[in-house]
């Protein structure tokens, strides 16, 4: 168990004006922000970030969606951050996400599901290094 995770507010949620509400919910759930920025992935960046899914049927839709507009990226700190944040965001498919979760509140579909959260401590570290130089993480 580690104490940091990597989150992204995806292009759909940025387009729909949910940056403030999502960050508010994250902070009020006890996460500390260790790094934060607004950025945009190129198509190639998105392909690298989601390489693990490259054989999946939804891969092309996923990488084109993730690169179509700005995203907010943050490193978050809390005890058992990876699991705690996955609980806060809810199921991948918002129709299956629990009441009060970020995806239940703000996602529109299984593909355009508002937020990303790392799925393991190892991936949290890989994904944090993908997005932030060491001097940007506090
Ligand atoms: P999660 O983001 O909950 O960890 P996955 O790692 O399985 O989910 O998938 C990565 C992302 O790919 C999802 O968040 C979603 O944007 C997209 N995705 C996953 N499954 C599907 C699907 N069946 N159809 C379309 N897009 C999908
Ligand atoms: Mg995942």
């Amino acid at each position: 168990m580690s104490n940091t995770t990597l989150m992204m507010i995806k292009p759909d949620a940025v387009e729909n004006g949910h940056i403030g509400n999502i960050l508010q919910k994250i902070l009020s759930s006890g996460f500390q922000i260790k790094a934060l920025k607004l950025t945009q992935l190129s198509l190639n960046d998105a392909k690298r970030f989601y390489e693990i899914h490259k054989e999946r049927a939804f891969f092309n839709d996923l990488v084109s969606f993730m690169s179509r507009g700005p995203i907010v990226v943050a490193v978050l700190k809390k005890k058992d951050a990876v699991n705690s944040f996955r609980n806060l965001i809810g199921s991948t498919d918002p129709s299956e996400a629990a009441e009060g979760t970020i995806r239940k509140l703000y996602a529109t579909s299984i593909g355009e599901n508002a937020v990303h959260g790392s799925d393991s401590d190892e991936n949290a570290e890989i994904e944090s290094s993908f997005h932030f130089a060491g001097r940007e993480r506090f």
Side-chain angles (χ1 to χ4, degrees):
M1 178 167 61
S2 175
N3 59 2
T4 68
T5 191
L6 185 284
M7 85 94 189
M8 298 187 286
I9 302 177
K10 297 184 177 183
D12 61 322
V14 174
E15 288 159 10
N16 293 329
H18 298 316
I19 294 175
N21 285 334
I22 291 173
L23 289 178
Q24 175 60 40
K25 186 147 183 76
I26 289 168
L27 291 170
S28 67
S29 301
F31 291 88
Q32 245 183 292
I33 294 175
K34 307 299 285 182
L36 177 67
K37 68 179 165 190
L38 183 78
T39 186
Q40 183 164 352
L41 297 174
S42 68
L43 184 62
N44 207 45
D45 292 333
K47 286 179 179 170
R48 285 194 296 126
F49 188 89
Y50 283 109
E51 169 140 42
I52 192 167
H53 293 308
K54 67 174 184 290
E55 307 299 336
R56 309 289 288 274
F58 58 79
F59 182 72
N60 283 337
D61 286 345
L62 174 62
V63 295
S64 102
F65 160 56
M66 285 302 297
S67 59
R68 83 174 180 215
I71 60 173
V72 170
V73 194
V75 178
L76 304 175
K77 182 176 179 185
K78 189 184 180 181
K79 182 163 173 275
D80 197 15
V82 165
N83 292 319
S84 180
F85 192 68
R86 297 285 302 191
N87 288 336
L88 180 64
I89 68 179
S91 300
T92 308
D93 183 347
S95 70
E96 292 170 7
E99 286 302 324
T101 60
I102 293 175
R103 282 170 167 166
K104 182 70 174 188
L105 288 165
Y106 301 117
T108 43
S109 68
I110 190 170
E112 303 202 3
N113 58 6
V115 280
H116 167 85
S118 306
D119 64 4
S120 66
D121 292 343
E122 186 191 3
N123 284 333
E125 186 51 42
I126 292 168
E127 293 172 0
S128 295
S129 301
F130 179 96
H131 281 293
F132 294 101
R135 69 180 184 283
E136 297 176 306
R137 298 165 60 181
F138 299 98

PDB file of all heavy atoms in Angstrom, residues 10 49-50 52-53 56-59 61-63 65-66 86 89-93 103 109-119, ligand 1:
ATOM      1  N   LYS A  10     -10.798  14.075 -17.437  1.00  0.00           N
ATOM      2  CA  LYS A  10     -10.738  13.809 -18.875  1.00  0.00           C
ATOM      3  C   LYS A  10     -11.409  14.924 -19.687  1.00  0.00           C
ATOM      4  O   LYS A  10     -12.159  15.750 -19.127  1.00  0.00           O
ATOM      5  CB  LYS A  10     -11.390  12.448 -19.146  1.00  0.00           C
ATOM      6  CG  LYS A  10     -10.652  11.272 -18.472  1.00  0.00           C
ATOM      7  CD  LYS A  10     -11.286   9.928 -18.844  1.00  0.00           C
ATOM      8  CE  LYS A  10     -10.516   8.773 -18.227  1.00  0.00           C
ATOM      9  NZ  LYS A  10     -11.079   7.441 -18.654  1.00  0.00           N
ATOM     10  N   PHE A  49       0.264   6.507 -23.091  1.00  0.00           N
ATOM     11  CA  PHE A  49      -0.314   6.400 -21.747  1.00  0.00           C
ATOM     12  C   PHE A  49      -1.175   5.144 -21.629  1.00  0.00           C
ATOM     13  O   PHE A  49      -1.163   4.464 -20.598  1.00  0.00           O
ATOM     14  CB  PHE A  49      -1.154   7.643 -21.425  1.00  0.00           C
ATOM     15  CG  PHE A  49      -1.621   7.684 -20.001  1.00  0.00           C
ATOM     16  CD1 PHE A  49      -0.840   8.277 -19.015  1.00  0.00           C
ATOM     17  CD2 PHE A  49      -2.817   7.088 -19.633  1.00  0.00           C
ATOM     18  CE1 PHE A  49      -1.250   8.282 -17.690  1.00  0.00           C
ATOM     19  CE2 PHE A  49      -3.236   7.083 -18.313  1.00  0.00           C
ATOM     20  CZ  PHE A  49      -2.445   7.681 -17.333  1.00  0.00           C
ATOM     21  N   TYR A  50      -1.951   4.837 -22.679  1.00  0.00           N
ATOM     22  CA  TYR A  50      -2.904   3.713 -22.632  1.00  0.00           C
ATOM     23  C   TYR A  50      -2.398   2.489 -23.379  1.00  0.00           C
ATOM     24  O   TYR A  50      -3.194   1.637 -23.769  1.00  0.00           O
ATOM     25  CB  TYR A  50      -4.261   4.157 -23.186  1.00  0.00           C
ATOM     26  CG  TYR A  50      -5.067   4.992 -22.211  1.00  0.00           C
ATOM     27  CD1 TYR A  50      -5.261   6.349 -22.404  1.00  0.00           C
ATOM     28  CD2 TYR A  50      -5.640   4.409 -21.071  1.00  0.00           C
ATOM     29  CE1 TYR A  50      -6.005   7.109 -21.498  1.00  0.00           C
ATOM     30  CE2 TYR A  50      -6.381   5.154 -20.165  1.00  0.00           C
ATOM     31  CZ  TYR A  50      -6.565   6.500 -20.385  1.00  0.00           C
ATOM     32  OH  TYR A  50      -7.306   7.240 -19.489  1.00  0.00           O
ATOM     33  N   ILE A  52      -1.246  -0.241 -22.563  1.00  0.00           N
ATOM     34  CA  ILE A  52      -1.704  -1.521 -22.014  1.00  0.00           C
ATOM     35  C   ILE A  52      -3.030  -1.970 -22.649  1.00  0.00           C
ATOM     36  O   ILE A  52      -3.346  -3.161 -22.691  1.00  0.00           O
ATOM     37  CB  ILE A  52      -1.818  -1.411 -20.476  1.00  0.00           C
ATOM     38  CG1 ILE A  52      -2.011  -2.768 -19.834  1.00  0.00           C
ATOM     39  CG2 ILE A  52      -2.920  -0.472 -20.058  1.00  0.00           C
ATOM     40  CD1 ILE A  52      -1.810  -2.750 -18.319  1.00  0.00           C
ATOM     41  N   HIS A  53      -3.804  -1.012 -23.186  1.00  0.00           N
ATOM     42  CA  HIS A  53      -5.105  -1.332 -23.782  1.00  0.00           C
ATOM     43  C   HIS A  53      -5.055  -1.418 -25.309  1.00  0.00           C
ATOM     44  O   HIS A  53      -6.097  -1.445 -25.963  1.00  0.00           O
ATOM     45  CB  HIS A  53      -6.133  -0.259 -23.395  1.00  0.00           C
ATOM     46  CG  HIS A  53      -6.472  -0.229 -21.942  1.00  0.00           C
ATOM     47  ND1 HIS A  53      -6.862  -1.350 -21.243  1.00  0.00           N
ATOM     48  CD2 HIS A  53      -6.478   0.797 -21.040  1.00  0.00           C
ATOM     49  CE1 HIS A  53      -7.103  -1.015 -19.975  1.00  0.00           C
ATOM     50  NE2 HIS A  53      -6.861   0.264 -19.823  1.00  0.00           N
ATOM     51  N   ARG A  56      -7.372  -3.652 -27.313  1.00  0.00           N
ATOM     52  CA  ARG A  56      -8.810  -3.607 -27.030  1.00  0.00           C
ATOM     53  C   ARG A  56      -9.561  -2.927 -28.174  1.00  0.00           C
ATOM     54  O   ARG A  56      -9.038  -2.025 -28.842  1.00  0.00           O
ATOM     55  CB  ARG A  56      -9.079  -2.838 -25.722  1.00  0.00           C
ATOM     56  CG  ARG A  56      -8.262  -3.316 -24.544  1.00  0.00           C
ATOM     57  CD  ARG A  56      -8.696  -4.674 -24.027  1.00  0.00           C
ATOM     58  NE  ARG A  56      -9.968  -4.603 -23.338  1.00  0.00           N
ATOM     59  CZ  ARG A  56     -10.120  -4.305 -22.050  1.00  0.00           C
ATOM     60  NH1 ARG A  56      -9.065  -4.033 -21.301  1.00  0.00           N
ATOM     61  NH2 ARG A  56     -11.318  -4.288 -21.512  1.00  0.00           N
ATOM     62  N   ALA A  57     -10.820  -3.342 -28.361  1.00  0.00           N
ATOM     63  CA  ALA A  57     -11.646  -2.802 -29.453  1.00  0.00           C
ATOM     64  C   ALA A  57     -11.839  -1.294 -29.319  1.00  0.00           C
ATOM     65  O   ALA A  57     -11.984  -0.588 -30.315  1.00  0.00           O
ATOM     66  CB  ALA A  57     -12.999  -3.503 -29.474  1.00  0.00           C
ATOM     67  N   PHE A  58     -11.829  -0.799 -28.078  1.00  0.00           N
ATOM     68  CA  PHE A  58     -12.109   0.631 -27.865  1.00  0.00           C
ATOM     69  C   PHE A  58     -10.857   1.508 -27.906  1.00  0.00           C
ATOM     70  O   PHE A  58     -10.943   2.719 -27.693  1.00  0.00           O
ATOM     71  CB  PHE A  58     -12.847   0.834 -26.533  1.00  0.00           C
ATOM     72  CG  PHE A  58     -12.115   0.315 -25.310  1.00  0.00           C
ATOM     73  CD1 PHE A  58     -11.078   1.029 -24.732  1.00  0.00           C
ATOM     74  CD2 PHE A  58     -12.483  -0.897 -24.738  1.00  0.00           C
ATOM     75  CE1 PHE A  58     -10.400   0.561 -23.610  1.00  0.00           C
ATOM     76  CE2 PHE A  58     -11.817  -1.379 -23.608  1.00  0.00           C
ATOM     77  CZ  PHE A  58     -10.774  -0.645 -23.051  1.00  0.00           C
ATOM     78  N   PHE A  59      -9.683   0.934 -28.216  1.00  0.00           N
ATOM     79  CA  PHE A  59      -8.428   1.686 -28.105  1.00  0.00           C
ATOM     80  C   PHE A  59      -8.423   2.961 -28.962  1.00  0.00           C
ATOM     81  O   PHE A  59      -8.070   4.042 -28.469  1.00  0.00           O
ATOM     82  CB  PHE A  59      -7.240   0.793 -28.472  1.00  0.00           C
ATOM     83  CG  PHE A  59      -5.905   1.477 -28.344  1.00  0.00           C
ATOM     84  CD1 PHE A  59      -5.370   1.761 -27.091  1.00  0.00           C
ATOM     85  CD2 PHE A  59      -5.180   1.849 -29.471  1.00  0.00           C
ATOM     86  CE1 PHE A  59      -4.138   2.398 -26.962  1.00  0.00           C
ATOM     87  CE2 PHE A  59      -3.946   2.481 -29.349  1.00  0.00           C
ATOM     88  CZ  PHE A  59      -3.428   2.754 -28.099  1.00  0.00           C
ATOM     89  N   ASP A  61     -10.889   4.752 -30.210  1.00  0.00           N
ATOM     90  CA  ASP A  61     -11.825   5.741 -29.662  1.00  0.00           C
ATOM     91  C   ASP A  61     -11.254   6.369 -28.393  1.00  0.00           C
ATOM     92  O   ASP A  61     -11.366   7.582 -28.182  1.00  0.00           O
ATOM     93  CB  ASP A  61     -13.168   5.077 -29.305  1.00  0.00           C
ATOM     94  CG  ASP A  61     -13.988   4.747 -30.542  1.00  0.00           C
ATOM     95  OD1 ASP A  61     -13.670   5.265 -31.626  1.00  0.00           O
ATOM     96  OD2 ASP A  61     -14.951   3.964 -30.419  1.00  0.00           O
ATOM     97  N   LEU A  62     -10.646   5.545 -27.555  1.00  0.00           N
ATOM     98  CA  LEU A  62     -10.101   6.029 -26.283  1.00  0.00           C
ATOM     99  C   LEU A  62      -8.999   7.062 -26.512  1.00  0.00           C
ATOM    100  O   LEU A  62      -9.015   8.142 -25.898  1.00  0.00           O
ATOM    101  CB  LEU A  62      -9.566   4.839 -25.470  1.00  0.00           C
ATOM    102  CG  LEU A  62      -8.826   5.176 -24.180  1.00  0.00           C
ATOM    103  CD1 LEU A  62      -9.729   5.909 -23.187  1.00  0.00           C
ATOM    104  CD2 LEU A  62      -8.263   3.894 -23.545  1.00  0.00           C
ATOM    105  N   VAL A  63      -8.044   6.757 -27.385  1.00  0.00           N
ATOM    106  CA  VAL A  63      -6.922   7.683 -27.555  1.00  0.00           C
ATOM    107  C   VAL A  63      -7.343   8.939 -28.314  1.00  0.00           C
ATOM    108  O   VAL A  63      -6.813  10.025 -28.061  1.00  0.00           O
ATOM    109  CB  VAL A  63      -5.687   6.996 -28.189  1.00  0.00           C
ATOM    110  CG1 VAL A  63      -5.158   5.932 -27.239  1.00  0.00           C
ATOM    111  CG2 VAL A  63      -5.979   6.412 -29.564  1.00  0.00           C
ATOM    112  N   PHE A  65     -10.396  10.300 -28.065  1.00  0.00           N
ATOM    113  CA  PHE A  65     -11.106  11.040 -27.007  1.00  0.00           C
ATOM    114  C   PHE A  65     -10.121  11.724 -26.057  1.00  0.00           C
ATOM    115  O   PHE A  65     -10.253  12.932 -25.761  1.00  0.00           O
ATOM    116  CB  PHE A  65     -12.016  10.069 -26.247  1.00  0.00           C
ATOM    117  CG  PHE A  65     -12.443  10.532 -24.882  1.00  0.00           C
ATOM    118  CD1 PHE A  65     -13.098  11.741 -24.703  1.00  0.00           C
ATOM    119  CD2 PHE A  65     -12.201   9.736 -23.767  1.00  0.00           C
ATOM    120  CE1 PHE A  65     -13.490  12.158 -23.430  1.00  0.00           C
ATOM    121  CE2 PHE A  65     -12.587  10.147 -22.500  1.00  0.00           C
ATOM    122  CZ  PHE A  65     -13.233  11.373 -22.328  1.00  0.00           C
ATOM    123  N   MET A  66      -9.149  10.993 -25.575  1.00  0.00           N
ATOM    124  CA  MET A  66      -8.250  11.537 -24.546  1.00  0.00           C
ATOM    125  C   MET A  66      -7.347  12.652 -25.064  1.00  0.00           C
ATOM    126  O   MET A  66      -6.774  13.399 -24.273  1.00  0.00           O
ATOM    127  CB  MET A  66      -7.414  10.407 -23.928  1.00  0.00           C
ATOM    128  CG  MET A  66      -8.180   9.529 -22.964  1.00  0.00           C
ATOM    129  SD  MET A  66      -8.922  10.425 -21.561  1.00  0.00           S
ATOM    130  CE  MET A  66      -7.451  11.065 -20.740  1.00  0.00           C
ATOM    131  N   ARG A  86     -10.012   5.053  -6.316  1.00  0.00           N
ATOM    132  CA  ARG A  86     -10.875   4.212  -7.169  1.00  0.00           C
ATOM    133  C   ARG A  86     -12.288   4.140  -6.565  1.00  0.00           C
ATOM    134  O   ARG A  86     -13.275   4.138  -7.298  1.00  0.00           O
ATOM    135  CB  ARG A  86     -10.287   2.803  -7.318  1.00  0.00           C
ATOM    136  CG  ARG A  86      -8.926   2.709  -8.004  1.00  0.00           C
ATOM    137  CD  ARG A  86      -8.929   2.887  -9.490  1.00  0.00           C
ATOM    138  NE  ARG A  86      -9.766   1.958 -10.206  1.00  0.00           N
ATOM    139  CZ  ARG A  86      -9.738   1.817 -11.544  1.00  0.00           C
ATOM    140  NH1 ARG A  86      -8.899   2.549 -12.280  1.00  0.00           N
ATOM    141  NH2 ARG A  86     -10.530   0.978 -12.143  1.00  0.00           N
ATOM    142  N   ILE A  89     -14.078   7.451  -7.387  1.00  0.00           N
ATOM    143  CA  ILE A  89     -14.508   7.687  -8.778  1.00  0.00           C
ATOM    144  C   ILE A  89     -15.612   6.722  -9.207  1.00  0.00           C
ATOM    145  O   ILE A  89     -16.432   7.069 -10.040  1.00  0.00           O
ATOM    146  CB  ILE A  89     -13.339   7.696  -9.798  1.00  0.00           C
ATOM    147  CG1 ILE A  89     -12.672   6.343  -9.992  1.00  0.00           C
ATOM    148  CG2 ILE A  89     -12.333   8.738  -9.426  1.00  0.00           C
ATOM    149  CD1 ILE A  89     -11.536   6.381 -11.025  1.00  0.00           C
ATOM    150  N   GLY A  90     -15.677   5.531  -8.672  1.00  0.00           N
ATOM    151  CA  GLY A  90     -16.732   4.583  -9.027  1.00  0.00           C
ATOM    152  C   GLY A  90     -16.390   3.748 -10.254  1.00  0.00           C
ATOM    153  O   GLY A  90     -15.327   3.890 -10.847  1.00  0.00           O
ATOM    154  N   SER A  91     -17.340   2.897 -10.652  1.00  0.00           N
ATOM    155  CA  SER A  91     -17.119   1.942 -11.747  1.00  0.00           C
ATOM    156  C   SER A  91     -16.821   2.638 -13.072  1.00  0.00           C
ATOM    157  O   SER A  91     -17.296   3.754 -13.305  1.00  0.00           O
ATOM    158  CB  SER A  91     -18.357   1.076 -11.944  1.00  0.00           C
ATOM    159  OG  SER A  91     -18.635   0.370 -10.781  1.00  0.00           O
ATOM    160  N   THR A  92     -16.076   1.930 -13.927  1.00  0.00           N
ATOM    161  CA  THR A  92     -15.741   2.443 -15.260  1.00  0.00           C
ATOM    162  C   THR A  92     -17.000   2.883 -15.999  1.00  0.00           C
ATOM    163  O   THR A  92     -17.016   3.937 -16.642  1.00  0.00           O
ATOM    164  CB  THR A  92     -15.018   1.336 -16.068  1.00  0.00           C
ATOM    165  OG1 THR A  92     -13.931   0.838 -15.300  1.00  0.00           O
ATOM    166  CG2 THR A  92     -14.514   1.865 -17.393  1.00  0.00           C
ATOM    167  N   ASP A  93     -18.043   2.069 -15.928  1.00  0.00           N
ATOM    168  CA  ASP A  93     -19.323   2.386 -16.571  1.00  0.00           C
ATOM    169  C   ASP A  93     -20.185   3.187 -15.601  1.00  0.00           C
ATOM    170  O   ASP A  93     -20.610   2.667 -14.567  1.00  0.00           O
ATOM    171  CB  ASP A  93     -20.030   1.074 -16.946  1.00  0.00           C
ATOM    172  CG  ASP A  93     -21.333   1.318 -17.691  1.00  0.00           C
ATOM    173  OD1 ASP A  93     -21.815   2.469 -17.714  1.00  0.00           O
ATOM    174  OD2 ASP A  93     -21.864   0.334 -18.239  1.00  0.00           O
ATOM    175  N   ARG A 103     -17.823   9.469 -11.117  1.00  0.00           N
ATOM    176  CA  ARG A 103     -18.348   9.031 -12.417  1.00  0.00           C
ATOM    177  C   ARG A 103     -19.880   9.027 -12.428  1.00  0.00           C
ATOM    178  O   ARG A 103     -20.494   9.353 -13.444  1.00  0.00           O
ATOM    179  CB  ARG A 103     -17.767   7.672 -12.786  1.00  0.00           C
ATOM    180  CG  ARG A 103     -16.324   7.797 -13.305  1.00  0.00           C
ATOM    181  CD  ARG A 103     -15.643   6.469 -13.452  1.00  0.00           C
ATOM    182  NE  ARG A 103     -14.397   6.579 -14.217  1.00  0.00           N
ATOM    183  CZ  ARG A 103     -13.474   5.619 -14.262  1.00  0.00           C
ATOM    184  NH1 ARG A 103     -13.659   4.485 -13.586  1.00  0.00           N
ATOM    185  NH2 ARG A 103     -12.381   5.786 -14.972  1.00  0.00           N
ATOM    186  N   SER A 109     -20.614   8.375 -20.337  1.00  0.00           N
ATOM    187  CA  SER A 109     -20.672   7.022 -20.917  1.00  0.00           C
ATOM    188  C   SER A 109     -19.478   6.215 -20.419  1.00  0.00           C
ATOM    189  O   SER A 109     -18.587   6.757 -19.762  1.00  0.00           O
ATOM    190  CB  SER A 109     -20.637   7.100 -22.448  1.00  0.00           C
ATOM    191  OG  SER A 109     -19.363   7.567 -22.875  1.00  0.00           O
ATOM    192  N   ILE A 110     -19.442   4.933 -20.773  1.00  0.00           N
ATOM    193  CA  ILE A 110     -18.311   4.093 -20.343  1.00  0.00           C
ATOM    194  C   ILE A 110     -16.990   4.590 -20.927  1.00  0.00           C
ATOM    195  O   ILE A 110     -15.935   4.457 -20.299  1.00  0.00           O
ATOM    196  CB  ILE A 110     -18.553   2.604 -20.672  1.00  0.00           C
ATOM    197  CG1 ILE A 110     -17.495   1.715 -20.020  1.00  0.00           C
ATOM    198  CG2 ILE A 110     -18.613   2.369 -22.180  1.00  0.00           C
ATOM    199  CD1 ILE A 110     -17.791   0.230 -20.102  1.00  0.00           C
ATOM    200  N   GLY A 111     -17.042   5.191 -22.108  1.00  0.00           N
ATOM    201  CA  GLY A 111     -15.812   5.719 -22.717  1.00  0.00           C
ATOM    202  C   GLY A 111     -15.478   7.101 -22.173  1.00  0.00           C
ATOM    203  O   GLY A 111     -14.344   7.372 -21.766  1.00  0.00           O
ATOM    204  N   GLU A 112     -16.482   7.966 -22.150  1.00  0.00           N
ATOM    205  CA  GLU A 112     -16.274   9.353 -21.702  1.00  0.00           C
ATOM    206  C   GLU A 112     -16.708   9.439 -20.241  1.00  0.00           C
ATOM    207  O   GLU A 112     -17.809   9.894 -19.919  1.00  0.00           O
ATOM    208  CB  GLU A 112     -17.043  10.317 -22.610  1.00  0.00           C
ATOM    209  CG  GLU A 112     -16.603  10.134 -24.066  1.00  0.00           C
ATOM    210  CD  GLU A 112     -16.879  11.325 -24.964  1.00  0.00           C
ATOM    211  OE1 GLU A 112     -17.368  12.356 -24.465  1.00  0.00           O
ATOM    212  OE2 GLU A 112     -16.581  11.212 -26.159  1.00  0.00           O
ATOM    213  N   ASN A 113     -15.813   8.962 -19.379  1.00  0.00           N
ATOM    214  CA  ASN A 113     -16.206   8.734 -17.990  1.00  0.00           C
ATOM    215  C   ASN A 113     -15.512   9.664 -16.990  1.00  0.00           C
ATOM    216  O   ASN A 113     -15.290   9.295 -15.840  1.00  0.00           O
ATOM    217  CB  ASN A 113     -16.044   7.258 -17.622  1.00  0.00           C
ATOM    218  CG  ASN A 113     -14.624   6.769 -17.814  1.00  0.00           C
ATOM    219  OD1 ASN A 113     -13.731   7.567 -18.117  1.00  0.00           O
ATOM    220  ND2 ASN A 113     -14.402   5.480 -17.626  1.00  0.00           N
ATOM    221  N   ALA A 114     -15.212  10.872 -17.453  1.00  0.00           N
ATOM    222  CA  ALA A 114     -14.898  12.022 -16.580  1.00  0.00           C
ATOM    223  C   ALA A 114     -13.532  12.011 -15.905  1.00  0.00           C
ATOM    224  O   ALA A 114     -12.889  13.054 -15.805  1.00  0.00           O
ATOM    225  CB  ALA A 114     -15.989  12.241 -15.530  1.00  0.00           C
ATOM    226  N   VAL A 115     -13.117  10.859 -15.375  1.00  0.00           N
ATOM    227  CA  VAL A 115     -11.868  10.828 -14.609  1.00  0.00           C
ATOM    228  C   VAL A 115     -11.110   9.520 -14.806  1.00  0.00           C
ATOM    229  O   VAL A 115     -11.694   8.480 -15.097  1.00  0.00           O
ATOM    230  CB  VAL A 115     -12.105  11.018 -13.088  1.00  0.00           C
ATOM    231  CG1 VAL A 115     -12.312  12.469 -12.724  1.00  0.00           C
ATOM    232  CG2 VAL A 115     -13.243  10.158 -12.598  1.00  0.00           C
ATOM    233  N   HIS A 116      -9.795   9.621 -14.590  1.00  0.00           N
ATOM    234  CA  HIS A 116      -8.911   8.454 -14.540  1.00  0.00           C
ATOM    235  C   HIS A 116      -8.320   8.354 -13.140  1.00  0.00           C
ATOM    236  O   HIS A 116      -7.999   9.374 -12.536  1.00  0.00           O
ATOM    237  CB  HIS A 116      -7.754   8.625 -15.542  1.00  0.00           C
ATOM    238  CG  HIS A 116      -6.632   7.646 -15.342  1.00  0.00           C
ATOM    239  ND1 HIS A 116      -6.661   6.382 -15.887  1.00  0.00           N
ATOM    240  CD2 HIS A 116      -5.474   7.722 -14.618  1.00  0.00           C
ATOM    241  CE1 HIS A 116      -5.560   5.719 -15.515  1.00  0.00           C
ATOM    242  NE2 HIS A 116      -4.824   6.521 -14.754  1.00  0.00           N
ATOM    243  N   GLY A 117      -8.152   7.132 -12.664  1.00  0.00           N
ATOM    244  CA  GLY A 117      -7.396   6.894 -11.438  1.00  0.00           C
ATOM    245  C   GLY A 117      -6.506   5.684 -11.631  1.00  0.00           C
ATOM    246  O   GLY A 117      -6.934   4.669 -12.198  1.00  0.00           O
ATOM    247  N   SER A 118      -5.257   5.773 -11.186  1.00  0.00           N
ATOM    248  CA  SER A 118      -4.318   4.650 -11.322  1.00  0.00           C
ATOM    249  C   SER A 118      -4.906   3.394 -10.681  1.00  0.00           C
ATOM    250  O   SER A 118      -5.659   3.467  -9.710  1.00  0.00           O
ATOM    251  CB  SER A 118      -2.998   4.965 -10.610  1.00  0.00           C
ATOM    252  OG  SER A 118      -2.466   6.185 -11.059  1.00  0.00           O
ATOM    253  N   ASP A 119      -4.516   2.218 -11.238  1.00  0.00           N
ATOM    254  CA  ASP A 119      -5.070   0.958 -10.719  1.00  0.00           C
ATOM    255  C   ASP A 119      -4.110   0.190  -9.821  1.00  0.00           C
ATOM    256  O   ASP A 119      -4.461  -0.883  -9.326  1.00  0.00           O
ATOM    257  CB  ASP A 119      -5.562   0.078 -11.874  1.00  0.00           C
ATOM    258  CG  ASP A 119      -4.450  -0.366 -12.806  1.00  0.00           C
ATOM    259  OD1 ASP A 119      -3.259  -0.073 -12.533  1.00  0.00           O
ATOM    260  OD2 ASP A 119      -4.772  -1.016 -13.820  1.00  0.00           O
TER     261      ASP A 119
HETATM  262  P1  LIG B   1     -10.688   2.369 -15.623  1.00  0.00           P
HETATM  263  O1  LIG B   1     -10.493   3.758 -16.187  1.00  0.00           O
HETATM  264  O2  LIG B   1     -11.922   2.285 -14.756  1.00  0.00           O
HETATM  265  O3  LIG B   1      -9.465   1.818 -14.934  1.00  0.00           O
HETATM  266  P2  LIG B   1     -10.037   0.609 -17.829  1.00  0.00           P
HETATM  267  O4  LIG B   1      -8.628   0.702 -17.389  1.00  0.00           O
HETATM  268  O5  LIG B   1     -10.631  -0.751 -18.027  1.00  0.00           O
HETATM  269  O6  LIG B   1     -11.021   1.416 -16.872  1.00  0.00           O
HETATM  270  O7  LIG B   1     -10.210   1.370 -19.223  1.00  0.00           O
HETATM  271  C1  LIG B   1      -9.520   2.576 -19.457  1.00  0.00           C
HETATM  272  C2  LIG B   1     -10.483   3.549 -20.110  1.00  0.00           C
HETATM  273  O8  LIG B   1     -10.876   3.052 -21.383  1.00  0.00           O
HETATM  274  C3  LIG B   1     -11.813   3.756 -19.374  1.00  0.00           C
HETATM  275  O9  LIG B   1     -11.729   4.657 -18.289  1.00  0.00           O
HETATM  276  C4  LIG B   1     -12.697   4.273 -20.477  1.00  0.00           C
HETATM  277  O10 LIG B   1     -12.436   5.643 -20.766  1.00  0.00           O
HETATM  278  C5  LIG B   1     -12.237   3.413 -21.648  1.00  0.00           C
HETATM  279  N1  LIG B   1     -13.021   2.182 -21.761  1.00  0.00           N
HETATM  280  C6  LIG B   1     -12.944   1.084 -20.967  1.00  0.00           C
HETATM  281  N2  LIG B   1     -13.817   0.136 -21.340  1.00  0.00           N
HETATM  282  C7  LIG B   1     -14.469   0.650 -22.425  1.00  0.00           C
HETATM  283  C8  LIG B   1     -15.500   0.149 -23.283  1.00  0.00           C
HETATM  284  N3  LIG B   1     -16.037  -1.064 -23.101  1.00  0.00           N
HETATM  285  N4  LIG B   1     -15.921   0.947 -24.290  1.00  0.00           N
HETATM  286  C9  LIG B   1     -15.386   2.172 -24.470  1.00  0.00           C
HETATM  287  N5  LIG B   1     -14.402   2.702 -23.711  1.00  0.00           N
HETATM  288  C10 LIG B   1     -13.954   1.965 -22.699  1.00  0.00           C
END
